[in-house]
């Protein structure tokens, strides 16, 4: 008997490891894992909170079969609740997986809104860690609450451990992309300093010396050398400014893909609205492209928050050989977008168009009342050799 259970447990852990490894998209991996865990343990509902490493706030990273009451994004913003609070206080230890009365559901439970809660009231919370580092919480519950057995809880904490590894691995990949970029900037700064700036300094010195030795009526030569000296000094000034700029402005956001992912997490944490980020291609974009595309995406999300009343957002970044495209799609209430650029748009949309133009691209808004909204910006990339 015990033997078969162990084999069962192992095959469950195996299935979950496979699910977690199937995609690099953590959100997707967690969604699938939740579905699998609830099915295997014959539960009905689950959701995962993760701590956003940038803001240290919770955001909803995955959800399966939420009751209608919790499907309302407002109720799933990363605000305080019993389980996140216990987790923060460190009371939610791995051994102490406990049944918690859900403070998010409580208002609806008290009003007896069973349609909205589907009878849910309690959940089990499994803390997610990587080594000593707290990462988040997995909450699980069944239709009519039953206490999970000791074996189930033990299995769940092992699953929690697997999830912790997956989340941490994705974070490390993100971090190393940021670091690689910081390193690249330092390398370029050093190169400008070591080669260009030193070369220009030497040229300027030579010209200066030559000028001092020019005697007699060599007016023309003097004039030319004088001009050369001015140019060398100008360029030297430019090189110094570039070095300074590269060194003093740290790559705060990291490469665009990572920056968009972080932006999405922050948005979810504040609004409770899931943002799925899909990235394809991994070419390097010029810095101005990254800046403008990031700002456009961020303004689009600001509009989703302010106007859309959406429950789902998808953000895509496609980098191809010759062009790049970013889209932000929401399933909100939509609006009558004017096809004529510049017409009837607010400052936000005008600003987005302006930014798209700055990188030689354009911005499209597809929207209609009741149909959600898609903002698309696409731009041709400069030839590989001439990229800034
Ligand atoms: N995602 C969206 N969903 C619904 N309506 C939107 C969305 N984005 C923009 N809008 C509509 O377009 C208008 C113009 O947007 P914008 O230029 O950003 O100005 P603002 O946000 O300051 O109103 C908004 O007032 C809103 O009515
Ligand atoms: Mg706006």
């Amino acid at each position: 008997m015990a033997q078969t259970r162990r084999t069962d447990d192992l095959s469950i852990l195996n299935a979950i490891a496979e699910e977690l490894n199937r995609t690099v998209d953590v959100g997707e991996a967690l969604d699938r894992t939740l579905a699998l865990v609830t099915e295997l343990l014959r539960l009905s509902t689950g959701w995962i909170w993760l701590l956003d490493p940038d803001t240290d706030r919770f955001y909803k990273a995955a959800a399966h079969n939420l009751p209608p009451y919790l499907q309302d994004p407002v109720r799933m913003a990363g605000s305080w609740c019993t389980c996140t609070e216990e987790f923060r206080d460190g009371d939610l230890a791995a051994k102490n997986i406990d049944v918690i009365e859900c403070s998010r559901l409580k208002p609806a439970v008290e009003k007896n809104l069973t349609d909205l809660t589907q009878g849910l009231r309690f959940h089990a919370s499994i803390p997610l860690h990587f080594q000593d580092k707290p990462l988040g919480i997995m909450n699980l519950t069944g239709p009519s609450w039953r206490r999970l057995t000791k074996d189930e809880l033990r299995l769940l904490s092992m699953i929690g451990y697997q999830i912790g590894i997956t989340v941490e691995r994705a974070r490390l990949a993100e971090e190393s992309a940021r670091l690689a970029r910081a390193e690249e900037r330092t390398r370029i700064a050093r190169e400008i300093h070591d080669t260009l700036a030193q070369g220009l300094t030497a040229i300027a010195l030579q010209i200066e010396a030559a000028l001092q030795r020019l005697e007699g009526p060599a007016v023309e030569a003097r004039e030319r050398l004088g001009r050369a000296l001015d140019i060398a000094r100008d360029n030297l000034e430019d090189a110094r400014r570039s070095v300074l700029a590269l060194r003093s402005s740290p790559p705060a956001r990291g490469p665009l893909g990572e920056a968009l992912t972080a932006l999405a997490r922050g948005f979810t944490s504040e609004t409770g609205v899931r943002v799925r980020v899909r990235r394809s291609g991994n070419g390097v974009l010029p810095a101005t492209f990254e800046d403008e595309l990031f700002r456009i995406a961020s303004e689009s999300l600001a509009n989703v928050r302010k106007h859309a009343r959406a429950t789902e957002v998808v953000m895509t970044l496609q980098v191809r050989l010759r062009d790049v495209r970013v889209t932000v799609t929401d399933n909100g209430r939509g609006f009558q977008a004017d096809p004529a650029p510049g017409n009837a748009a607010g400052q936000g949309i005008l600003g987005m168009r302006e930014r798209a133009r700055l990188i030689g691209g354009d911005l499209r808004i597809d929207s209609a009342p009741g149909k959600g909204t898609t903002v698309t910006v696409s731009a041709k990339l400069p030839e590989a050799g001439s990229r800034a």
Side-chain angles (χ1 to χ4, degrees), residues 299-310 328 330 332-337 344-352 365 367 372-375:
E299 172 62 26
S300 300
L301 281 186
N303 275 347
V304 175
R305 175 189 316 206
K306 243 164 68 180
H307 310 294
R309 293 196 213 135
V328 177
D330 69 65
R333 59 197 192 128
F335 65 111
Q336 197 66 56
Q347 284 308 311
I349 292 177
L350 284 179
M352 288 198 270
I365 297 182
S367 188
T373 301
T374 296
V375 175

Side-chain angles (χ1 to χ4, degrees), residues 195-270:
T195 57
L196 203 58
Q198 279 180 15
L200 285 169
T201 309
I203 293 171
L205 282 175
Q206 291 295 340
I207 299 175
E208 218 167 52
L211 271 172
Q212 278 161 11
R213 287 193 189 108
L214 264 187
E215 280 165 19
V219 186
E220 203 176 315
R222 194 181 290 275
E223 209 178 276
R224 287 190 181 219
L225 282 172
R227 232 179 298 149
L229 184 57
D230 287 345
I231 295 172
R233 281 184 177 143
D234 267 4
N235 286 350
L236 189 54
E237 213 26 63
D238 284 348
R240 289 208 172 106
R241 259 200 302 275
S242 308
V243 170
L244 213 70
L246 279 167
R247 292 220 164 114
S248 61
S249 68
R253 294 197 300 255
L256 187 60
E258 276 68 27
L260 292 178
T261 308
L263 181 71
R265 274 199 304 261
F267 182 84
T268 303
S269 158
E270 278 165 35

